Amino acid sequence: MTLRKSTWTPGAMAAVLALTGCGGAASAGTDDSDTFVFATGKDITCLDPHVNGDMPQASIAANYLDSLVSQDKDGRIHPWLAESWEVSADGLTYTFRLRDDVYFTDGTKLTSEAVKANLDHMVDPDTQSGTAGGYLKPYVKTELPDETTAVVTLNRPYAAFLEVLAQPFLGIESPEALKRPQAENCNAPVGTGPFKIVDYVPQSKVTLVRNEDYNSAPPYASHQGPAQVERIEWRIVPEDSTRYGLLRAGQVVALDLMPPVHFAEARADKKVELVLQDRPGNPTNLMLNTTRAPFNDLKVRQAFLKSVYVDAGINSAYFGTAPRPGGPLSNTTTFYSADFEHVYDPDPQEAARLLDGAGWDRRDQEGYRVKDGRRLTVHFPYTPDIWPTAHQSLVTQIQASARQAGFEVLIENGDYASVSELGNTFKYDLRADYW
């Protein structure tokens, strides 16, 4: 039986299959075929990572899209589709020299026109790009001196420009494919990557086959040329127990969003490798909206943070397997400092003092704090379908501990589009996110 890997990262998709994109060794999905079968717990409503921009899109896009530049595990930037680049002294102009031997899987040749078409597509409001478009806020235009030169102009110096260009969210797609209606491109985007999409059944699976002409792996990849696996089957299996059952039965090679309740069992199974990886940067978090009541009051914000028992909730929901970042950055982030780890440790007495000082000094019959006849209510739009079961358990435990301090936290479940709209228009008090 082939090695099975179960993966889990807090609040993020694990891009297990991206290794095949760089020619890394990959096990076949079954004993008698060269198919890598991967089970994900999150649906993908659009395969084009330019649209919206959630981690599941980036995870699968890493298999069929290449980017202008690449970034290794140590954060160093390398060539990719661009073999070199120059940056102007004022940091506003990037001149990319492209490879002249790369083709998209629809037969279109990679040229500077493709770079312009992609960057313009990402920032076009009609694309509805939350991630790629957000990363490109300083983008102004792309000029084309010749077929292999793209001159990108920004409106301000942007230190992270090359880093964001390396991400799959900004992967380069066929300019001809981008001319299709968005719904059509969402179902089958076209790239230059090691695989190409041949079938997409929404809410069920995505099938990819090897790009036999692939010749554009990053220079540091351990394998150059076509991928070692012929086929990828990317199954969408929202139910935790079903997904894990497929792994135990040997019907999938790898899965993401591994339910923590099965960690001990997985560790005991010699056929399973459990991979836990903390994400650098801003960890999974609840954001407080400071533009409206009640969190426009600093004392109320501080009281909320000191009233919720996050550590206890994490230990309960994740069975002691996930560390709690106490500050704005996870401890795997470069230049991380622990100075702020314990600023908002639970302190019920201090929370009560802060709320009293903010005028929320009375409670109603249900025990919630009130002021001027209004209850201390926190609206929390939430999409349970996009979060692991453990995260859903965690937010209900936070809700319970906040109640003891007098906060009424209303977890208002909704679909992804409606919850995102509330977030984008600041019509919330709490918002679950990660970055």
Side-chain angles (χ1 to χ4, degrees):
M1 181 175 290
T2 57
L3 174 68
R4 292 170 279 152
K5 293 184 178 181
S6 56
T7 65
W8 174 85
T9 53
M13 298 285 287
V16 180
L17 300 184
L19 289 174
T20 61
C22 296
S27 302
T30 63
D31 291 330
D32 56 358
S33 72
D34 195 13
T35 299
F36 192 101
V37 185
F38 175 70
T40 176
K42 298 183 73 174
D43 192 14
I44 307 173
T45 56
C46 175
L47 299 181
D48 179 0
H50 298 176
V51 178
N52 295 324
D54 196 13
M55 281 305 302
Q57 294 169 287
S59 297
I60 192 169
N63 298 283
Y64 56 82
L65 295 182
D66 293 336
S67 297
L68 272 180
V69 298
S70 59
Q71 185 173 26
D72 65 24
K73 62 183 178 62
D74 297 317
R76 293 186 294 264
I77 300 296
H78 299 268
W80 202 349
L81 294 179
E83 58 184 9
S84 65
W85 55 88
E86 299 170 0
V87 185
S88 63
D90 60 7
L92 300 181
T93 304
Y94 287 71
T95 302
F96 295 97
R97 312 289 181 183
L98 306 180
R99 294 179 54 158
D100 63 358
D101 61 343
V102 177
Y103 289 81
F104 295 94
T105 54
D106 63 359
T108 303
K109 185 176 181 179
L110 171 72
T111 66
S112 55
E113 178 58 42
V115 176
K116 174 178 171 56
N118 275 263
L119 296 180
D120 289 350
H121 181 248
M122 295 172 202
V123 300
D124 186 340
D126 290 340
T127 303
Q128 298 179 316
S129 178
T131 300
Y135 281 154
L136 290 179
K137 287 295 185 183
Y139 174 74
V140 175
K141 62 181 178 179
T142 299
E143 297 175 289
L144 313 176
D146 56 56
E147 281 198 349
T148 58
T149 306
V151 181
V152 179
T153 300
L154 309 178
N155 61 20
R156 59 179 172 84
Y158 186 23
F161 188 50
L162 293 176
E163 280 80 356
V164 300
L165 287 178
Q167 296 194 25
F169 294 114
L170 285 80
I172 302 299
E173 303 179 30
S174 164
E176 292 302 313
L178 287 178
K179 294 177 182 178
R180 301 175 296 175
Q182 185 177 93
E184 184 177 348
N185 199 62
C186 275
N187 288 341
V190 177
T192 61
F195 292 89
K196 56 184 177 181
I197 297 169
V198 293
D199 186 44
Y200 172 44
V201 182
Q203 301 180 347
S204 178
K205 68 177 180 178
V206 185
T207 304
L208 306 94
V209 298
R210 181 166 59 197
N211 175 8
E212 300 295 348
D213 299 320
Y214 187 62
N215 65 345
S216 52
Y220 57 84
S222 60
H223 170 78
Q224 298 290 327
Q228 295 173 324
V229 174
E230 292 181 2
R231 184 183 181 92
I232 296 173
E233 186 173 302
W234 194 283
R235 297 185 188 177
I236 300 166
V237 186
E239 301 82 9
D240 287 346
S241 58
T242 302
R243 197 165 62 255
Y244 183 60
L246 291 173
L247 180 80
R248 294 299 306 274
Q251 295 182 36
V252 303
V253 180
L255 59 81
D256 68 356
L257 303 180
M258 175 74 173
V261 67
H262 296 306
F263 282 3
E265 181 181 4
R267 286 192 175 106
D269 189 339
K270 294 182 179 179
K271 299 188 181 81
V272 175
E273 179 181 353
L274 179 65
V275 181
L276 303 179
Q277 183 174 345
D278 292 326
R279 183 181 57 251
N282 184 218
T284 300
N285 62 82
L286 299 185
M287 296 189 294
L288 283 64
N289 181 4
T290 65
T291 68
R292 72 178 196 178
F295 290 140
N296 60 349
D297 188 323
L298 175 61
K299 290 182 179 179
V300 176
R301 296 199 299 272
Q302 293 174 326
F304 182 81
L305 294 173
K306 287 186 172 294
S307 68
V308 291
Y309 287 81
V310 178
D311 293 85
I314 290 176
N315 288 332
S316 173
Y318 292 95
F319 297 87
T321 60
R324 178 224 172 180
L329 298 174
S330 66
N331 60 14
T332 56
T333 306
T334 304
F335 307 123
Y336 163 82
S337 169
D339 291 350
F340 301 98
E341 280 290 331
H342 300 285
V343 172
Y344 288 109
D345 283 349
D347 188 339
Q349 289 74 30
E350 178 64 9
R353 187 190 69 78
L354 287 165
L355 288 177
D356 288 344
W360 299 92
D361 53 357
R362 297 186 180 184
R363 292 181 183 253
D364 61 18
Q365 292 182 344
E366 295 184 55
Y368 294 112
R369 296 266 181 164
V370 292
K371 175 183 178 182
D372 299 330
R374 294 181 296 110
R375 178 178 285 182
L376 183 52
T377 301
V378 174
H379 293 275
F380 184 5
Y382 187 70
T383 306
D385 292 346
I386 70 170
W387 292 100
T389 302
H391 188 274
Q392 299 172 43
S393 174
L394 174 60
V395 298
T396 58
Q397 293 186 54
I398 289 174
Q399 177 190 46
S401 62
R403 177 172 184 167
Q404 295 177 8
F407 287 91
E408 179 187 40
V409 178
L410 299 179
I411 301 175
E412 298 158 343
N413 291 336
D415 59 72
Y416 179 78
S418 60
V419 170
S420 294
E421 177 63 19
L422 292 172
N424 294 337
T425 55
F426 289 89
K427 296 177 181 178
Y428 68 92
D429 298 316
L430 276 182
R431 183 182 184 186
D433 213 340
Y434 61 89
W435 209 246

